[in-house]
Every structure is written in C-alpha cells, then in structure tokens.
Amino acid sequence: MTDTVLVVNAGSSSIKVELFAADAALTSLLSGQIEAIGLAPRLALRDAAGTTVAEEAWGQGEGPRDHRAALAAIGTALARVAGQHRIVAIGHRVVHGGATLAAPVVIDPAIRAELAALAPLAPLHQPHNLAGIDAMAELHPGVMQVACFDTAFHRGHPWVADTFALPRALWRRGIRRYGFHGLSYAYIAMRLAEVAPEIARGRVVVAHLGNGASMCAIRDGRSIDSTMGFTALDGLPMGTRSGQLDPGVVLHLLTAEGYDAPALTRLLYHESGLKGLSGLSSDMRALERAGTAEAQEAIAYFVYRIRKELGALTAALGGLDALAFTAGIGENSAAIRAAVCEGMGWLGIALDAAANARGETVLSTPASRVRVLRIPTDEERMIALETLRLLRA
Ligand code: AMP
C-alpha cells in the first residue's frame, strides 16, 4: 500500500484529479478528468506512463448530470484503479480565499462555512470547489482535506495594488483587486529558485498564458501586483473572457443595449476574448493555423496587451531581471513568445530565436540584460506539496 495525496481541481465544466505518492519526490501516479459535465460527459484516467486505465463516455444528457454526480463518478473510477493506494490527504484548488486566507488551510466546518460565504465573490467557480470538498468528504470520510487558493499568493500586495479608486466602504466590503492564478505563480516562484537561483530574489514578471491568462509581478519571491483584479475577468484578453474593459462599456450595454446581468455574464466570460475578436475560436492553436485577418487581429490584440502589461508591471517592480512564460500558450507557442519580445531591446530583452524555437528553459541570449525563461507550470503539484506540508505539520 502506497500512501498518496489526491488533488482535486473542480472547475466550471470539468473536474481534474491527480494522485501523487506522499513522498519527497511527489511522484505522479495517476491523473485524469471528467469533462463536458451536463452535456455529453467523458471520463478518462491515465497512469504515470500516459496509458489510459479508465475510460467512460456518455451521450448527450446522459451520465452524471451535475458536479456532485460527476465527482462521485470520477471518485469511484479512481478508487477502482487505485485500490492499492491509500489516500492520506486531499488537496483542493479553491478559487477564492477572500481577504484573510493567505495560505493553504486544513478544512474544518468553520473554514467550510468561510469558503461558502465567499461564493458571491466567485459565483462561477467557488460553488464547484465546495462541491468537490463535500463529495470527497463523503467518499473519504476522516481523510484530511486542504484548501489551496488562487488568491493566496497575492495577499501581500501593497494597498495601491489591492484597491480600486472607489469609496473606501466598498474596499472594506471586499471589493478589492485579489488577483488569481496564484498556485501557478507560487509554483513558478519555487521553480525559479531552482532554475535561476541568482535571479529568484530579483524582479520577475511571469506571464501565465493559457485559456485563462494573467501576468504577475514578483519581487523577492513575492507577488506585488497582478493583471487580474476583483474577478478573473480583468487584465489580459483570454480564450473567451474580455480582459480589461472600460466600466462605461458595461453601463452602456445595460442602459442602451438591452443587456441584463446574465447576458453580460455570458458576453464577458464566454463570448469575448480571442473567440469574440476572431469570430472563430478561443483556442490559440486554431487561430495560429487559421490565418484569417480576424484571427491575426485577435492574436495581435492578445500580444499588444501582454506587451503593455509587461511595461506596467516593470514600472511597478522598478525594473526587470527576468520574464518567464508559462501555461498552454506561454509554454508552447514560440510565435507568441517571439511577438511579445519583439523590439523589447529598450527593456533589456534580447531573445535567442533558436532557443525560443526549440522551447528551451532559457530563451534569451547570453548578452540579454533580462533573462527570458520558459517554465512549465504545475498547479496540481503545488497543491500536493502544500497539502503534504500541512499533513506533516
Ligand atoms: P491551458 O489553459 O494552460 O491548458 O492553455 C490552453 C491554450 O494553450 C489554448 O489556447 C491552446 O490552443 C494553447 N496551446 C496549447 N498548445 C499550443 C501550441 N503548441 N501552440 C499554440 N498554442 C497552444
């Protein structure tokens, strides 16, 4: 029997799980997901070699209909194929830790209630995270459960990076710039200390460019600002999310264009960003292949906003020692990395085109004042690490 840590990442339409050996190396043993919940769900689990060890697919409207049922399905499939493993702790990705939860916590009834009270701040995500916690408590009674927050890494922001210029009372009521993708940034900060120890204590901008996208300014291993604010809508354009928007646009849509709150939610979360601009797809690979004028313009807007935020975050840091790319687009698209770095010599960035094309860890030339890095992220491993740390505490 191997002792293991189970990581659960319950998102809005999919649930990912990963099982790690509870040892110093945190070896990944099994991983998988259930996708298209409520539509035509598909479930798959793979072993460490990538071989599929469990697979199930349902027709439209069949199989697990909601998160509770989907969690039960994937929990049961996991128990079937991982019978020889004993789960000693379960770590959950939880989107919102509010203003006070600045580190991973063991979930007890009081914390569970606190997390539920934060649901209005992240109504599209927090309820699914809570469903994950409840389902695992039912499937694995008595096993320690830990919540790891997307917001926690950013809780040390200076006040000017934590607020909007709204009346103070609103800040006190929680209308703050929380920042997200914190588990990814915490992982990259940890990896920086391994791959580039000489700059890990310096001024670093990390660009997490995936389906969700944001950037973070890190000084001495700590976040000082981020492009995401009160929700995961702000900052960079994303697959389907708008990114930064003049709030006057929202007022106009409400008062003159007949939008109501549900229609605005659909527009800003699901119909905007790369998908809205290209009229084609939210997927960067599809846009790079398509080559239509609209697809190219969508990519150009994405790159423009990254470059602009790089300047802003560099100003917040008072200079730049390294720029690190991560997540699906940041790790895999040499073209986007090259476009972001193009003509950035004024900032001290000199990209090594060959190293970038090969996707090496160091992408800058030896003469580049700013180190450009490609560091794959691993939010699940970060959660496993924090969970194990609390288990051993
Ligand atoms: P993530 O949310 O981190 O899984 O990232 C998903 C995004 O990464 C999608 O837009 C994908 O199209 C993009 N992506 C993945 N692989 C590549 C690639 N080889 N080239 C360009 N984009 C990619």
Side-chain angles (χ1 to χ4, degrees), residues 208-212 274 282-286 288 327-330 332-334:
H208 176 110
L209 310 177
N211 201 30
L274 296 175
S282 62
D283 191 282
M284 183 55 82
R285 259 172 309 191
E288 286 185 340
I329 301 169
N332 297 304
S333 177

Side-chain angles (χ1 to χ4, degrees), residues 314-334:
T314 298
L317 285 166
L320 188 66
D321 299 307
L323 166 64
F325 288 98
T326 194
I329 301 169
E331 290 166 27
N332 297 304
S333 177

